[in-house]
Amino acid sequence: MKTVADLRERLQELHARTAETPLFNPVFQLSLDLSRELEAGDLSLDHVEGMICELETLALQDRAARSRRLLALPHVGEPRLGPEFSDFGAFREHWEQPRLHAVITAHPTFLLTPDQASSLASAIAGDGSVADAACTATEDRPAVTLDYEHKRAMRAIGNAQQARYSIVSRLLAEAAVKWPDRWRDLKPLPFRFATWVGYDMDGRTDIQWYDSIGFRLNEKAQRLRRYVARLEAIDSGHKLLATLHPALAYAEARAEDFAQDLSDPVDLSDAANRLTAHHENKLLSLTPLIAALEEEAQTAPEERAIKLLALTAAMRADGLGMGWIHFRVNAKQLHNAIRRRIEGGETLEIGSKGAMAVLRRMVREVKPQRANFGALAIEASTAIRQFLAMQQILKHIDADAPIRMLVAECEQPSTVMAALYFAKLFGIEGKVDVSPLFETEAALEHGGRFLDALLQEDEYRSYARTRGRICIQTGFSDAGRFVGQLPASLAIERLQGRMADAMRANALSDVAALVFNTHGESMGRGAHPASFRDRLEWPLSPWARGRFARGNIRLEPEASFQGGDGYQFFETKELALATLEQIADYEWKEHAPDEPDPFYVRTDLSLDFYRAIRAHQREHLESQTYSRAITAFGLGMLNTTGSRVSRRQSDLASDRSMSLRQIRAIPHNAILQQLGYPVNVIAGIGAAVEGNEEDLAQLIQSSPRGRQLMRLVRNANALASIKTMAAYGELFNSAYWASRTYRGTEESISDACQALADYLTKDDRNGVFRRLVSRLRVDALKFHRLLDLLEPEDPLPEREEVRRTIGVLQALRLALFKHMFLRAVSIPSFSRANDISRDDVLEMVFTLRIDDALGQMRRAFPTSFPQLDDFQMDEPSDWPDDEGEGYGAIGRHYIDPIERAYSLSLRITTAIANHFGAHG
């Protein structure tokens, strides 16, 4: 079996055997077939690599086809932009407020190399084929540093800006035809763009405050460069270029100042003084330039006026940066900071009524304080440092663009009041939007009461009116992990409805509601794979939108495009335009009062359905069985895909009892994909419908929201395989290794198999996988009874073909893992060094801490060491008396194959993620 076609055919044959032997595992059997050929020398790692290369290409083609469906490519004619309008006022109202705030974020999701991303983009925009498999498969992965993430984020925003410019130009041209006397007054703002890359301090300590200042200066220089180029294209001699050119040069120089390590006080003082000094070219606001360009457009010829107004639209949207920026801290960081400002605050319970009374007075009485870069440099509190950094940005980089302060794990109204206090303390409350994040189960459960209490605070209401909006953030990563994706979406939807109610009840209908949904691209993060409409409605449903509409509250929807997967939509100018056209054309429709969605009427069914799935998901999360199985391989199945660490550091002992809370949400979701079964999407539905299948099937079938929920689950189920998850557990089955050579076959590895069998008799992982798989199988049986009652709806075509391809990929990876295990256990014994024993090294291999294991092996069996001839000694020596070859053979036969097999397995990881559409 040396071709992918051979493996497909063999897997299909093996699947047929499940009819006679239900417990038979086709994926594991195929991996055994491959393992036998690999250990016998009939199959080489070169052969395996060739098949993986072909499968990588197929995975990219599958992902390209999916993206083409999402973006409705290829277009037939020019896509429509929104509804038809006969009235200029309605047209203006529709397009002068954002259809979406698109936030370019970057948690660990940079799955593809730049060449792979480019090949995928070409396939999406072309005919769906990926031509150069060798190139896309073998390019070295770049180190995903913070700087790399920021460059990729700016690239995505740059393409989005050009796409928006095209859309704005079309809107202006359309208005010029329909309303020739009024169109020049139009100020289109269909999209805003933002990023938190370089500003998100939640869960990381590797971003220095001057990094954030440097990034913002770099973004200012980039944006000014683009404004200059756009204005030069309109008129190379335009008089405003005399202002923009020097401003650009000044911004570039200041960006260079802050692009270096400024930990030395002398270096910081020099850079800061140049930035803070008054300078004629220090442009802090675009307002006068916008006014001048719009005044010129009033009398300019139509073609020139359209270009001028499209440029001012970009200036109004972005300000002096590539987009708006989001700082982010954790609620605990804010609590620690505010306690320093309260007498006796060390013991104060922040959520208490007493604390709220104190904070209420502090916010009312606070006097603004000045600060400089020296104060910023010596500030020890992360939260206060962020407010100081925002103050400096608003004073010295961009005075117009507001800044978001996202507060993670925010479960108390007093936390928002603490943030508001610091904003007022540093005189920036008029430009900072404090936005609590609702993502944990407790936050989602109590979020309605949280908002009710917060919006009753006079100081907060006054602040909201000053800003013109109330901001919240809802997250689908941790929420999807802690309560499951379906319950998370429904809980978030309910919270959004409670927000609308609270705003109306507290007479705040005169301000906008900005709802930021941080989901992402994969099913594990709440991004819908079936259509772009579903992707937009999953995090902010028509029901939730309707609650704001009925309260006459202007809604500003905001959504994230996360990491390399989200940036794929903006990989080229063409893809960015297709993406924004999909969003621009989206129109939600509220259900008529006489025909409401049954899902929200039959709450006796839908609410119980939600609660039952949530309870089932909670059982998994709290179960040691689930935790041990999901962490059986640590994080070793995953490529390093981001600059933020995916887990906290730990030793071998803690690896064996790793908690799921040690792993971040996206890697957790990614592990589920790689093990073959997206538990947090599928599990619990079967248990929730048991005994009530027909009523729930009828409800789901009659409900647009119900069908949408099930489309996500069906997409996940179409790629899922419980037997694949079971196959990974069998790697730790002592009986399998003991029996593999039982009849005298494979004599060359009999000692290694026996050693593995001996070692694994004390290992618990086979048992926990079997228990988890049993639970999942029982739930899945009940789930499939529900599917049988629903009308067929194939969410994506050719899923069986893709499913078989994933099965082949999984079998290949299992064979590679077996190869690694056999090689590791066959390495000669070595003495304990640095408190690391041979068993520790084996455990490193079993948990896929391969780099650590290889380091220990190479230390024990060095292949490069000093030779006697390296020294010029006068005294003769007869020792050493051997050839001096050292341990080269051990390296070639054991250590190097482990390294290569692991490298190949990570390429399989990427291919599987591409079939799922994203990482995690």
Side-chain angles (χ1 to χ4, degrees), residues 740-773:
R740 178 162 169 172
T741 61
Y742 180 67
R743 293 187 176 274
T745 58
E746 301 186 280
E747 285 294 330
S748 63
I749 60 169
S750 61
D751 290 344
C753 286
Q754 181 178 328
L756 281 169
D758 285 341
Y759 183 85
L760 291 171
T761 54
K762 58 184 181 292
D763 195 280
D764 66 327
R765 279 169 283 198
N766 178 241
V768 297
F769 267 101
R770 289 191 172 197
R771 288 194 295 277
L772 175 60
V773 165

Side-chain angles (χ1 to χ4, degrees), residues 818-859:
K818 292 175 186 180
H819 190 61
M820 290 158 52
F821 289 7
L822 289 165
R823 286 294 181 274
V825 82
S826 299
I827 290 178
S829 297
F830 55 86
S831 59
R832 175 183 286 270
N834 300 324
D835 295 324
I836 299 292
S837 69
R838 185 172 183 272
D839 279 1
D840 289 334
V841 173
L842 287 179
E843 188 59 31
M844 288 176 185
V845 174
F846 292 146
T847 54
L848 300 184
R849 288 177 57 171
I850 302 302
D851 288 343
D852 292 339
L854 292 173
Q856 296 297 335
M857 291 178 191
R858 287 178 173 138
R859 188 178 308 160

Side-chain angles (χ1 to χ4, degrees), residues 52-68:
I52 290 173
C53 188
E54 181 181 344
L55 289 162
E56 284 175 313
T57 305
L58 290 172
L60 283 171
Q61 289 175 344
D62 180 54
R63 185 167 176 178
R66 175 195 215 130
S67 299
R68 284 164 64 81

Side-chain angles (χ1 to χ4, degrees), residues 515-681:
V515 180
F516 177 24
N517 290 297
T518 48
H519 49 326
E521 310 318 311
S522 79
M523 292 172 280
R525 296 200 304 277
H528 215 292
S531 70
F532 223 93
R533 170 173 284 274
D534 280 351
R535 187 195 192 280
L536 293 168
E537 290 186 348
W538 182 264
L540 192 59
S541 69
W543 177 86
R545 291 170 185 264
R547 295 288 283 269
F548 289 102
R550 287 195 292 279
N552 293 315
I553 299 168
R554 183 167 64 84
L555 181 62
E556 294 188 40
E558 187 169 62
S560 62
F561 291 84
Q562 199 159 54
D565 293 327
Y567 299 4
Q568 196 66 49
F569 287 111
F570 305 98
E571 178 66 21
T572 65
K573 301 175 186 65
E574 295 75 19
L575 286 185
L577 181 58
T579 299
L580 295 188
E581 285 171 341
Q582 285 285 311
I583 300 169
D585 190 47
Y586 168 73
E587 281 300 307
W588 69 277
K589 289 183 173 56
E590 187 175 4
H591 290 282
D594 55 338
E595 292 183 2
D597 188 325
F599 197 84
Y600 305 103
V601 177
R602 291 295 311 273
T603 53
D604 58 321
L605 290 173
S606 59
L607 196 56
D608 285 348
F609 181 63
Y610 153 76
R611 287 171 176 161
I613 301 173
R614 188 185 66 175
H616 188 95
Q617 289 281 345
R618 187 192 297 121
E619 287 176 10
H620 276 304
L621 193 72
E622 295 173 352
S623 162
Q624 290 185 344
T625 294
Y626 178 74
S627 177
R628 179 63 170 137
I630 300 310
T631 62
F633 298 99
L635 298 180
M637 274 191 171
L638 308 179
N639 292 288
T640 300
T641 58
S643 66
R644 190 177 80 155
V645 294
S646 296
R647 56 165 294 193
R648 298 182 180 90
Q649 296 299 310
S650 63
D651 56 20
L652 283 168
S654 63
D655 275 1
R656 297 184 185 108
S657 57
M658 190 190 304
S659 163
L660 286 179
R661 295 182 186 274
Q662 288 179 269
I663 300 176
R664 302 197 190 283
I666 293 170
H668 167 265
N669 300 338
I671 289 170
L672 294 176
Q673 287 180 358
Q674 297 302 319
L675 289 175
Y677 201 77
V679 176
N680 66 329
V681 180

Side-chain angles (χ1 to χ4, degrees), residues 27-44:
V27 172
F28 192 76
Q29 181 60 46
L30 180 57
S31 77
L32 175 57
D33 294 346
L34 288 164
S35 179
R36 282 173 169 157
E37 292 193 10
L38 193 56
E39 303 310 326
D42 297 331
L43 184 69
S44 69

